[in-house]
Amino acid sequence: MGRKSLYLLIGGILIAYYIYTPLSDNIEEPWRLMWINTHLKTIENLVTFVELLGLHHIMDSLQVVWSFYEVPPTSDENVTVTETQFNNILVRVYVPKRKSEVLRRGLFYIHGGGWCLGSAAVNDYDLLSRWTADRLDAVVVSTNYRLAPKYHFPIQFEDVYNALRWFLHKTVLAKYGVNPERIGISGDSAGGNLAAAVTQQLLDDPDVKIKLKIQSLIYPALQPLDVDLPSYQENSNAPVLSKSLMVRFWSEYFTTDRSLEKAMLSRQHVPVESSHLFKFVNWSSLLPERFIKGHVYNNPNYGSSELAKKYPGFLDVRAAPLLADDKKLHSLPLTYVITCQYDPLRDDGIMYVTRLRNAGVQVTHNHVEDGFHGAFSFLEFKISHRLINQYIEWLKENL
């Protein structure tokens, strides 16, 4: 074998090693997922290198990349799309063009992106909102919110909450022809976190007379206290969202101080005086047996009080909806939860399902055995269309 052929062989092996991602046999379109994951991994590696050089924060660089996938608010033959502001928060409103003899359903949607990335203008979210508005014959409001690292908790929560409260004004609902008794909220990933959090907050708001009929949470992130759940362990190097990236997202939600991220990875960020909160996220009692199998629950390690005093957000129920007590959960509306088997956030959603049901809330849990994080919103995958069809059918029946 000549030297040139040897170099080509070695190069081919290295490329194959870089592209290859171990996947379960039941994953649909594995090579497409490997290709997407390689694309995402390459971008992540590049922006990490840029950050190491001190040139640009990793999340700022990633948001620049995401901005290339944004599309203008363009109406089509089925849906009128406009961009406006709800209480100074930029939103997109999707209204079906066909005439309706009755007031329509309303759906308030919150995009994902780890509280750091994305917008309602990203192509996949724009398409999702169009399809939902058309097929559900609903007015869909897709909201933006200010992002980390420039803005930290509770800004993202407050932006979403303020936009939602604006939408729930009777005059606003009347303007868009929305039935005040048929309004729901939905979001994916970090958007699922914000949807769960603002839904809880509404329960205690005496100024909001119109309440939500349903909440739909798509692989939501619901707590940062324990990032060593079985799903984090099993999917630490999962495609699209790894454990290390998710912990970075959580940390950036509260601060750019990397010491919080380091403490979270070593499970030493929760002070002993907050130990009572672990009962709300104790996976040994909240996960069904099949998700526990092969894992042993270890009592948490406690850290100093310094981080919690500097960044109290990670112990705040508005950032971690799983920390709500049973009394609060009992009053929540009809709920739909999607979780995916190959997702670090799987167990957050499953524990919330358990706690909601224990509190008397009616929950439909769609656990996707061949699903991965992003399976709902990556529209190039067949699984995405399957999940969206199931999601819209549930909304048709319950909203």
Side-chain angles (χ1 to χ4, degrees):
M1 180 183 291
R3 183 176 296 181
K4 186 176 180 179
S5 298
L6 179 62
Y7 289 159
L8 287 172
L9 177 62
I10 293 172
I13 292 172
L14 291 174
I15 291 171
Y17 177 78
Y18 183 75
I19 292 174
Y20 179 72
T21 303
L23 297 173
S24 177
D25 291 341
N26 67 335
I27 291 285
E28 191 177 16
E29 302 179 285
W31 284 103
R32 184 187 293 273
L33 180 54
M34 283 188 201
W35 176 251
I36 292 292
N37 189 59
T38 300
H39 175 71
L40 295 173
K41 183 167 62 174
T42 301
I43 292 172
E44 184 181 347
N45 289 338
L46 287 172
V47 297
T48 299
F49 180 66
V50 170
E51 183 177 56
L52 288 172
L53 294 176
L55 299 177
H56 215 214
H57 191 285
I58 184 173
M59 297 303 171
D60 288 333
S61 298
L62 286 173
Q63 180 60 7
V64 170
V65 175
W66 274 57
S67 68
F68 286 105
Y69 296 94
E70 293 183 346
V71 294
T74 306
S75 301
D76 59 31
E77 66 274 15
N78 298 316
V79 179
T80 299
V81 183
T82 57
E83 219 164 50
T84 185
Q85 291 192 350
F86 283 4
N87 204 12
N88 297 317
I89 307 301
L90 188 66
V91 302
R92 287 195 176 190
V93 184
Y94 299 78
V95 181
K97 284 187 174 180
R98 62 182 176 273
K99 291 183 179 180
S100 177
E101 301 299 325
V102 297
L103 295 175
R104 288 188 164 101
R105 304 174 177 96
L107 185 69
F108 188 88
Y109 195 87
I110 311 162
H111 71 81
W115 309 277
C116 301
L117 308 172
S119 75
V122 170
N123 184 57
D124 284 350
Y125 287 120
D126 179 73
L127 284 173
L128 173 63
S129 296
R130 289 172 189 274
W131 294 346
T132 305
D134 182 42
R135 293 176 55 188
L136 193 61
D137 194 23
V139 174
V140 175
V141 174
S142 183
T143 190
N144 288 294
Y145 48 90
R146 286 172 288 179
L147 302 171
K150 186 176 181 180
Y151 301 99
H152 299 292
F153 174 85
I155 294 297
Q156 290 86 340
F157 170 88
E158 291 174 346
D159 282 357
V160 170
Y161 192 65
N162 288 333
L164 176 61
R165 289 178 87 249
W166 187 270
F167 180 50
L168 294 177
H169 286 159
K170 286 185 178 180
T171 54
V172 177
L173 296 178
K175 174 183 176 181
Y176 291 106
V178 174
N179 186 335
E181 296 181 356
R182 303 183 73 182
I183 301 171
I185 191 169
S186 185
D188 66 294
S189 194
N193 166 279
L194 291 164
V198 299
T199 302
Q200 291 182 8
Q201 185 76 5
L202 274 180
L203 299 176
D204 299 323
D205 193 331
D207 296 327
V208 179
K209 306 303 180 184
I210 296 171
K211 301 302 180 183
L212 300 174
K213 186 177 181 182
I214 63 97
Q215 61 173 342
S216 177
L217 313 176
I218 302 153
Y219 34 75
L222 297 170
Q223 59 81 33
L225 273 71
D226 189 349
V227 292
D228 201 38
L229 305 172
S231 59
Y232 273 96
Q233 295 179 45
E234 294 170 12
N235 300 294
S236 61
N237 294 304
V240 182
L241 183 68
S242 64
K243 173 180 177 176
S244 60
L245 181 57
M246 188 61 228
V247 171
R248 181 71 188 269
F249 279 138
W250 270 121
S251 179
E252 292 291 340
Y253 189 23
F254 307 114
T255 176
T256 52
D257 180 357
R258 300 291 296 276
S259 64
L260 176 59
E261 176 191 2
K262 182 178 179 181
M264 289 178 71
L265 286 169
S266 60
R267 302 181 68 206
Q268 294 181 325
H269 57 300
V270 180
V272 67
E273 55 266 31
S274 298
S275 60
H276 63 285
L277 296 176
F278 278 101
K279 67 183 178 183
F280 297 126
V281 297
N282 185 333
W283 56 264
S284 66
S285 62
L286 294 173
L287 292 179
E289 180 59 33
R290 75 185 194 89
F291 297 104
I292 295 176
K293 192 174 181 180
H295 296 274
V296 177
Y297 183 80
N298 296 313
N299 290 325
N301 303 318
Y302 298 112
S304 71
S305 302
E306 183 180 352
L307 281 174
K309 288 177 180 177
K310 289 172 69 176
Y311 315 116
F314 70 83
L315 300 175
D316 192 314
V317 69
R318 295 173 300 167
L322 255 173
L323 300 185
D325 59 31
D326 290 345
K327 183 179 179 182
K328 172 67 69 65
L329 297 183
H330 176 73
S331 300
L332 290 171
L334 183 67
T335 300
Y336 182 74
V337 179
I338 293 177
T339 56
C340 292
Q341 181 67 20
Y342 307 109
D343 180 1
L345 297 178
R346 179 194 72 202
D347 294 346
D348 278 21
I350 295 173
M351 289 194 295
Y352 203 44
V353 168
T354 300
R355 292 204 55 217
L356 288 171
R357 285 175 172 166
N358 290 345
V361 178
Q362 186 178 343
V363 183
T364 298
H365 179 203
N366 182 5
H367 180 67
V368 188
E369 293 290 351
D370 58 344
F372 52 90
H373 195 84
F376 182 84
S377 55
F378 283 1
L379 302 184
E380 56 265 53
F381 287 94
K382 294 178 183 177
I383 189 174
S384 172
H385 294 264
R386 185 178 87 223
L387 295 182
I388 290 171
N389 288 338
Q390 293 167 353
Y391 164 81
I392 291 177
E393 287 304 311
W394 186 88
L395 290 173
K396 282 182 179 179
E397 293 176 9
N398 295 283
L399 180 58

